[in-house]
């Protein structure tokens, strides 16, 4: 399969702090790629750089056959990059239905609409009129993924989706990601939960101090105890 998203040579700064050092990655159509690495390794900054929310000072991002240097985040979203941030950004004073409807992106249609998203998230169907703020952490995580799907993304980016969730909800999330994957959704995620990462990913990139220090198929990563102990808190 061809790469749908590639990035290379990304150097990103927050003020004077140099955070990403020649970071690169590749995501192929239908693949699930996971960035792993300790707190502060640069996973979120990589996603923000891809979306141009934190525009890199140098480097290349190619998405859907297009060079994306300098494209504002809303244009990245229109091209089909769907970002689910770590802090979820649910709009508290709006209902579940309204939060979902806000995910619609004009000009982007496809498999996902309110009905198909609710089929995928039966819990959300039962709470359509509840306010976003009244949802539990797990419900908010499902809502934020549902909202991103409403935009019919070509690549779904999930930034540490399991963070702060109970084991039961993590299990549900795993089933959801596996289902999306079976249906052909291309997914780029970051995780500190290595068991989750191993269960859902096809390939893994390990980040350390703003760099990709290892990239390989999930099976090689699973068997590489050296890499796991050197770069991860396992
Ligand atoms: P985490 O799991 O903690 O989210 P991460 O791998 O996603 O980690 P980033 O959030 O990308 O890492 O952070 C990379 C580095 O950039 C860290 O050293 C962090 O302290 C720093 N950093 C993140 N956001 C900012 C910011 N807004 N201003 C300055 N430094 C920042």
């Amino acid at each position: 399969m061809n790469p749908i998203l590639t990035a290379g040579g990304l150097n990103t700064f927050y003020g004077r702090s140099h955070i990403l050092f020649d970071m690169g990655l590749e995501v192929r159509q239908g693949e699930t790629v996971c960035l792993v690495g300790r707190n502060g390794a640069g996973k979120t900054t990589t996603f923000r750089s891809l979306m141009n929310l934190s525009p890199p000072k140098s480097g290349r991002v190619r998405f859907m056959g297009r060079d994306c240097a300098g494209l504002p985040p809303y244009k990245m979203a229109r091209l089909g990059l769907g970002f689910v941030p770590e802090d979820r950004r649910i709009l508290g004073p709006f209902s579940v239905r309204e939060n979902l409807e806000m995910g619609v992106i004009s000009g982007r249609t496809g498999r996902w609409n309110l009905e198909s998203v609710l089929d995928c998230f039966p819990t959300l169907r039962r709470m359509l009129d509840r306010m976003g703020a009244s949802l539990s952490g797990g419900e908010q995580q499902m809502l934020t993924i549902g909202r991103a799907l409403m935009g019919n993304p070509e690549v779904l980016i999930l930034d540490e989706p399991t963070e702060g969730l109970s084991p039961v909800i993590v299990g549900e999330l795993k089933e959801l990601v596996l289902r999306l994957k079976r249906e052909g959704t291309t997914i780029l995620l970051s995780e500190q939960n290595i068991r989750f990462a191993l269960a859902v990913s096809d390939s893994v990139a390990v980040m350390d101090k703003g760099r990709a220090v290892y990239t390989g198929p999930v099976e090689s990563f699973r068997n590489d105890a050296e890499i796991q102990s050197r770069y991860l808190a396992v």
Side-chain angles (χ1 to χ4, degrees):
M1 281 287 190
N2 291 331
I4 185 170
L5 172 66
T6 53
L10 297 179
N11 284 280
T12 303
F13 292 72
Y14 291 123
R16 288 200 193 154
S17 306
H18 194 167
I19 306 294
L20 293 189
F21 295 84
D22 292 327
M23 177 61 193
L25 55 80
E26 186 174 281
V27 183
R28 290 169 186 277
Q29 180 105 44
E31 190 184 32
T32 299
V33 175
C34 187
L35 299 187
V36 299
R38 294 195 183 99
N39 272 335
K43 304 177 295 296
T44 300
T45 308
T46 299
F47 296 154
R48 292 184 57 85
S49 300
L50 296 174
M51 286 298 290
N52 269 322
L53 287 161
S54 298
K57 226 172 215 164
S58 60
R60 306 164 304 282
V61 174
R62 209 172 157 73
F63 178 49
M64 301 299 293
R66 201 172 151 177
D67 191 349
C68 297
L71 279 191
Y74 79 91
K75 287 207 172 159
M76 295 305 295
R78 271 199 201 155
L79 270 183
L81 206 51
F83 183 36
V84 175
E86 198 172 0
D87 59 6
R88 296 171 192 152
R89 305 272 168 94
I90 291 303
L91 298 175
F94 290 86
S95 68
V96 166
R97 180 195 297 274
E98 287 165 329
N99 270 279
L100 287 172
E101 284 169 348
M102 273 173 233
V104 172
I105 298 175
S106 78
R108 293 207 60 81
T109 53
R111 179 206 182 309
W112 298 106
N113 52 41
L114 188 60
E115 267 313 299
S116 57
V117 167
L118 293 176
D119 283 345
C120 200
F121 300 95
T123 321
L124 296 181
R125 191 187 283 284
R126 288 194 294 275
M127 42 181 70
L128 269 180
D129 297 320
R130 291 252 310 265
M131 293 297 113
S134 73
L135 269 53
S136 69
E139 290 158 355
Q140 289 199 354
Q141 184 63 68
M142 299 300 177
L143 178 55
T144 188
I145 295 174
R147 186 176 58 187
L149 291 174
M150 291 285 285
N152 281 289
E154 304 288 344
V155 175
L156 181 65
I157 298 182
L158 305 173
D159 193 0
E160 292 200 34
T162 69
E163 199 194 10
L165 302 183
S166 71
V168 173
I169 306 293
V170 170
E172 285 177 20
L173 197 58
K174 182 174 100 184
E175 291 312 313
L176 171 71
V177 172
L178 290 174
R179 173 177 173 182
L180 294 175
K181 199 175 139 103
R182 275 196 303 277
E183 291 178 359
T185 313
T186 309
I187 301 171
L188 172 61
L189 77 158
S190 72
E191 257 312 326
Q192 302 239 18
N193 178 336
I194 297 303
R195 282 183 60 188
F196 185 89
L198 288 172
V200 301
S201 309
D202 300 307
S203 70
V204 173
V206 180
M207 288 195 73
D208 186 51
K209 301 189 181 110
R211 296 173 172 83
V213 292
Y214 171 96
T215 306
V218 71
E219 286 313 321
S220 320
F221 174 74
R222 190 193 305 277
N223 298 322
D224 200 329
E226 217 296 289
I227 285 284
Q228 294 188 30
S229 67
R230 193 182 324 163
Y231 295 112
L232 309 174
V234 289

